[in-house]
Amino acid sequence: MDEETMVMWTIELYHKGDIQLSSFVDRLRGKKPKTLLQVLLEGNHLQSSQVLEHLLKQLSATQAIEALQWIPAEYRYLSCFAQVMQTLAKEGNAQETEDLFHIAEQSVAQTRNRMIISSPSTARTDPQAWRDMYTSMIVAWSKQGNIEKTIHWWNIWMQQKDLVAAAPPTRVAPTAVLTCFVSAHQPKEAQQFWNELHNLRQSGHLDEEPDLVMCNLVLKAWVMAASGRKAEAFLELVQTIHPTIELDAISHNSVVQAYVKARQLTQAMDYVAQKTTTKNTKNMTAQSHHGNGNTFPDLATFRSIMHGWSLHRQDYQL
């Protein structure tokens, strides 16, 4: 049985309802993407954007872009652009991701009520696709370490009030922004962005609460800036406004490392002593029993302090 016959047979089973979408995609996996899509298009089998998105997801970025160029406009759903942009972002192709976003915008403007969008009412009826597209751009530029572009696209997105309200950002894009701030050695800006996320969540314009990963990214920025006082103050702020976030050993060790890096070993040891009271030790141990590895202080804590003593012993009279 040749490849084209195999594809047609699988399509027929799918339309008869004999196999589910996941099985349909699995059966077609490994077939030449161009051959497969051409058969689907020529036979008018692409009646579901879901099928096309699944097929595009299997392609490399280069193959997916090529496919978009010859897929008829009526089948180029906005969600398909979003899928290809996600592939580009994963491969770190920031400029190509941005270029494709502009192409999608132009397509929406040119076709207006045609099938470029999931529903033909307005150009904003697929907010999830727009969210995915903005997220991909932010992730792509963050991977490039381009803080200006990363922040630019975040701000552009936040200006789309109706779109953000309909499909608030998940944690992916904010985490990418914070990662970029860390790489750029901008702890103050990272903490300001954290505060912005808190406000967005309060207004319903963020899909999820800031989490431990984001918290530790801000702390990492303060470690790189050698500011133990700022790191400790931020941790206290997190515990106040986000009490549901369970701080881990990485969080506390970040504060210790920041003090050590600033040659403030006394403050580092004071912080450890403060956090190892009977009550705090019991809480940390209880968390570690749940498999979180959150016991503090741990070996990394003492290594940091000992390393600090070895580097800066001349600053202290031992």
Side-chain angles (χ1 to χ4, degrees):
M1 183 181 296
D2 61 28
E3 185 172 76
E4 185 169 334
T5 304
M6 183 67 166
V7 169
M8 292 301 297
W9 176 74
T10 306
I11 291 170
E12 185 176 351
L13 286 177
Y14 172 66
H15 284 300
K16 285 182 177 179
D18 293 338
I19 57 175
Q20 299 298 315
L21 176 62
S22 58
S23 299
F24 173 65
V25 174
D26 287 340
R27 284 173 182 242
L28 299 181
R29 197 180 304 278
K31 302 294 183 290
K32 293 179 181 178
K34 191 170 182 177
T35 300
L36 173 57
L37 283 172
Q38 283 177 333
V39 171
L40 289 170
L41 289 168
E42 290 170 2
N44 195 30
H45 296 295
L46 280 177
Q47 300 172 7
S48 166
S49 63
Q50 218 178 355
V51 174
L52 183 52
E53 290 163 35
H54 275 282
L55 294 175
L56 286 171
K57 191 175 183 179
Q58 298 178 42
L59 308 184
S60 67
T62 302
Q63 291 172 329
I65 290 174
E66 180 186 355
L68 280 180
Q69 292 174 350
W70 49 259
I71 290 175
E74 62 266 26
Y75 291 116
R76 263 184 261 138
Y77 301 96
L78 193 61
S79 55
C80 294
F81 281 97
Q83 180 58 63
V84 178
M85 286 180 62
Q86 188 177 69
T87 303
L88 284 166
K90 286 180 179 178
E91 295 184 9
N93 300 316
Q95 189 58 59
E96 292 88 342
T97 305
E98 183 173 321
D99 291 344
L100 189 57
F101 180 88
H102 292 309
I103 292 172
E105 280 189 317
Q106 292 168 8
S107 297
V108 169
Q110 290 169 359
T111 59
R112 295 190 180 181
N113 293 339
R114 291 171 57 187
M115 287 299 291
I116 189 69
I117 50 179
S118 297
S119 175
S121 55
T122 68
R124 293 292 180 184
T125 52
D126 194 355
Q128 288 79 17
W130 285 104
R131 175 177 64 189
D132 293 344
M133 290 163 65
Y134 276 109
T135 298
S136 292
M137 272 198 302
I138 290 166
V139 168
W141 284 118
S142 176
K143 285 186 175 182
Q144 294 285 327
N146 191 321
I147 188 68
E148 291 79 14
K149 282 280 193 178
T150 302
I151 297 303
H152 167 76
W153 281 110
W154 173 264
N155 290 336
I156 292 293
W157 186 9
M158 292 303 102
Q159 291 170 13
Q160 313 297 320
K161 300 297 184 183
D162 292 342
L163 181 61
V164 172
T170 63
R171 289 178 179 143
V172 176
T175 300
V177 174
L178 284 171
T179 300
C180 209
F181 277 130
V182 173
S183 299
H185 299 268
Q186 296 183 8
K188 182 179 178 181
E189 290 78 3
Q191 185 162 335
Q192 288 174 342
F193 184 71
W194 168 278
N195 294 336
E196 178 185 336
L197 294 177
H198 172 70
N199 294 333
L200 284 171
R201 178 60 181 173
Q202 293 296 105
S203 63
H205 290 160
L206 188 65
D207 193 48
E208 302 166 293
E209 290 275 359
D211 64 357
L212 180 63
V213 172
M214 296 184 196
C215 168
N216 287 344
L217 280 170
V218 177
L219 287 169
K220 183 178 180 179
W222 285 121
V223 171
M224 295 171 70
S227 182
R229 183 176 63 83
K230 293 285 189 179
E232 185 173 357
F234 172 69
L235 213 55
E236 291 174 355
L237 175 67
V238 171
Q239 291 176 304
T240 300
I241 66 176
H242 292 288
T244 57
I245 294 180
E246 292 188 7
L247 303 177
D248 62 3
I250 294 174
S251 311
H252 294 291
N253 280 330
S254 294
V255 176
V256 173
Q257 290 167 10
Y259 276 128
V260 169
K261 194 170 183 180
R263 297 190 176 192
Q264 296 175 317
L265 300 182
T266 301
Q267 289 89 332
M269 291 189 295
D270 287 344
Y271 181 81
V272 174
Q274 174 192 346
K275 297 300 178 181
T276 52
T277 61
T278 303
K279 181 179 179 180
N280 285 329
T281 301
K282 183 184 297 183
N283 290 340
M284 286 290 180
T285 304
Q287 291 176 8
S288 69
H289 287 166
H290 291 292
N292 297 330
N294 289 342
T295 303
F296 178 82
D298 60 6
L299 185 58
T301 311
F302 296 110
R303 280 178 174 169
S304 293
I305 293 176
M306 294 302 293
H307 181 64
W309 280 116
S310 67
L311 291 178
H312 310 305
R313 58 183 179 274
Q314 68 276 10
D315 298 336
Y316 299 87
Q317 185 175 0
L318 298 178

